[in-house]
Amino acid sequence: CLTEVRYDGNYGSQREVELQAKVQTLRTDDFARTFQTLKYTFDKELSAVQGWLFKMGRTRNSISPTIAYGNGAGLLLEQAVPSTLRAGELYLNRVELEGAAPWWVGFPGGYLSGGKNWGTGSRGWIIRSYRASFGGQVYTNPSISIPVKQVDQEGRVNLDLLLTPPAGVTQFLPGDTVEMEIEWITFPRMADDYYGPNERFRQHLTEHPESWQTIYREAAGNDLQVQVTGGVLQHRYPIIIQAEASDVRVQIEGGVGTVPIRFEGLTSATGYVLYQIIDGEAVALDQSVHGNDFWQTDFDAKSNSFKMTFNLPLDQGGSTEWLLRRSTVE
């Protein structure tokens, strides 16, 4: 329902930069999402002139006809990529993404140059939080650069995408830090490329083929507002809650697709049921195919407690209410 892998290490042969990373993926029925929470701590002075903090990485023979980026309020820029660019050029150089999070970037309408025009997908980023300190100055808006990686014989351009230090930062100094949450998404370009069961998502692709709207839909639609009774909210998306009572009530505003929710600090691996409150009635969530196959339980040895994860069908948006209750019979 929600994987989680944590990494601790260093970059560089001299261990110049400390890294802490948490990487998560979820069970869903529309498109792939990978959540990455990253923290860098610089221990030595390094040049930042050609430095970057996160990289999409080019795909061989990929064509990028359009670039689009924006924030939580909508589109900031949509632009056709000029055919006059040359490999090695910087199409965009350290452009600050304005406004409030979540920020998002993508290449709508991207395709492969080999003539295959189906099932190729489109890539995008959502930057859900960002805070960096360089030389004692704090930056809360990310900056991006877009280098040209390839130009084919027909003048079609293959772009890369970098999250960079802000303009004017030429050195990483000891004590500099970066903390950010990035959601990497790969989604169908059009309805004919989608083979899943989510009809609401299929309708969106029908209405907005090869569009930045798909990235923005995920960015804004899952910028959730969450209130918890009987526990403490630790993270909004994915939703992580530290349970403190036998009944934990959760009110959620928003949501598109399938949203993971994890309850931590539980006293048992079994005996819990998640209900949705519909017209005042508690209706048990049941997504089973082969019995108890729709939820996930993990043991936390450090706290000697359990974590239980579900995937909420929030594609209708609006307000929903949920109740995790410990049953009397296990």
Side-chain angles (χ1 to χ4, degrees), residues 30-34 120-124 183-188 201:
D30 48 12
F31 57 86
R33 306 167 177 82
T34 301
T120 57
S122 186
R123 299 175 299 166
E183 180 183 349
W184 177 290
I185 62 177
T186 307
F187 51 91
F201 180 57

Side-chain angles (χ1 to χ4, degrees), residues 164-200:
T164 60
V169 174
T170 59
Q171 293 290 119
F172 297 123
L173 301 175
D176 285 355
T177 60
V178 180
E179 297 181 65
M180 54 190 173
E181 293 180 283
I182 293 182
E183 180 183 349
W184 177 290
I185 62 177
T186 307
F187 51 91
R189 298 177 304 144
M190 58 190 73
D192 286 347
D193 289 339
Y194 176 59
Y195 51 84
N198 190 323
E199 291 303 320
R200 185 173 290 269

Side-chain angles (χ1 to χ4, degrees), residues 52-78:
W52 44 265
L53 306 170
F54 196 85
K55 181 177 183 178
M56 176 173 282
R58 67 178 178 88
T59 296
R60 181 177 174 83
N61 299 325
S62 178
I63 306 300
S64 311
T66 309
I67 171 68
Y69 60 81
N71 56 29
L75 180 70
L76 290 173
L77 175 74
E78 180 180 26

Side-chain angles (χ1 to χ4, degrees), residues 56 64-68 105-110 122-124 146 159-161 215:
M56 176 173 282
S64 311
T66 309
I67 171 68
V105 191
F107 303 123
S122 186
R123 299 175 299 166
I146 299 181
L159 297 177
D160 202 349
L161 175 59
I215 310 174

Side-chain angles (χ1 to χ4, degrees), residues 18-307:
E18 299 175 30
L19 164 70
Q20 293 178 302
K22 179 176 67 176
V23 182
Q24 300 168 295
T25 59
L26 73 159
R27 175 171 69 93
T28 189
D29 65 359
D30 48 12
F31 57 86
R33 306 167 177 82
T34 301
F35 307 105
Q36 300 191 45
T37 302
L38 304 171
K39 181 178 181 180
Y40 306 137
T41 303
F42 292 83
D43 294 329
K44 297 187 179 181
E45 185 172 329
L46 296 169
S47 173
V49 174
Q50 294 183 316
W52 44 265
L53 306 170
F54 196 85
K55 181 177 183 178
M56 176 173 282
R58 67 178 178 88
T59 296
R60 181 177 174 83
N61 299 325
S62 178
I63 306 300
S64 311
T66 309
I67 171 68
Y69 60 81
N71 56 29
L75 180 70
L76 290 173
L77 175 74
E78 180 180 26
Q79 192 171 80
V81 177
S83 60
T84 56
L85 296 174
R86 296 291 178 261
E89 287 187 51
L90 269 176
Y91 173 45
L92 296 181
N93 185 20
R94 298 200 184 192
V95 174
E96 181 181 293
L97 300 181
E98 301 172 351
W103 304 277
W104 52 270
V105 191
F107 303 123
Y111 63 96
L112 299 180
S113 61
K116 176 184 174 183
N117 194 33
W118 54 270
T120 57
S122 186
R123 299 175 299 166
W125 285 353
I126 299 167
I127 306 168
R128 294 204 173 268
S129 68
Y130 178 87
R131 188 182 190 280
S133 176
F134 297 117
Q137 183 172 345
V138 174
Y139 299 85
T140 55
N141 283 65
S143 297
I144 60 168
S145 291
I146 299 181
V148 179
K149 303 304 292 185
Q150 287 179 321
V151 179
D152 68 12
Q153 294 180 346
E154 299 179 32
R156 297 176 298 182
V157 179
N158 183 353
L159 297 177
D160 202 349
L161 175 59
L162 308 176
L163 184 64
T164 60
V169 174
T170 59
Q171 293 290 119
F172 297 123
L173 301 175
D176 285 355
T177 60
V178 180
E179 297 181 65
M180 54 190 173
E181 293 180 283
I182 293 182
E183 180 183 349
W184 177 290
I185 62 177
T186 307
F187 51 91
R189 298 177 304 144
M190 58 190 73
D192 286 347
D193 289 339
Y194 176 59
Y195 51 84
N198 190 323
E199 291 303 320
R200 185 173 290 269
F201 180 57
R202 190 188 312 279
Q203 181 64 31
H204 165 83
L205 292 174
T206 301
E207 296 173 356
H208 304 285
E210 301 182 336
S211 173
W212 59 266
Q213 293 276 4
T214 304
I215 310 174
Y216 179 61
R217 176 179 181 266
E218 168 67 15
N222 280 325
D223 188 23
L224 307 174
Q225 302 303 311
V226 183
Q227 295 184 343
V228 179
T229 303
V232 176
L233 179 67
Q234 297 182 326
H235 200 267
R236 288 192 297 127
Y237 182 60
I239 303 171
I240 309 295
I241 295 169
Q242 178 71 28
E244 294 184 334
S246 57
D247 283 5
V248 182
R249 289 184 177 269
V250 186
Q251 292 181 315
I252 304 170
E253 184 70 33
V256 293
T258 303
V259 174
I261 183 170
R262 186 171 76 201
F263 298 91
E264 300 185 349
L266 305 181
T267 58
S268 172
T270 59
Y272 291 91
V273 178
L274 182 64
Y275 300 90
Q276 183 175 4
I277 307 302
I278 302 175
D279 296 329
E281 299 292 327
V283 180
L285 178 68
D286 185 359
Q287 299 166 324
S288 61
V289 177
H290 304 288
N292 291 328
D293 59 355
F294 65 95
W295 48 269
Q296 169 189 332
T297 299
D298 300 281
F299 178 64
D300 185 345
K302 185 176 181 180
S303 63
N304 194 32
S305 64
F306 295 88
K307 306 174 184 179

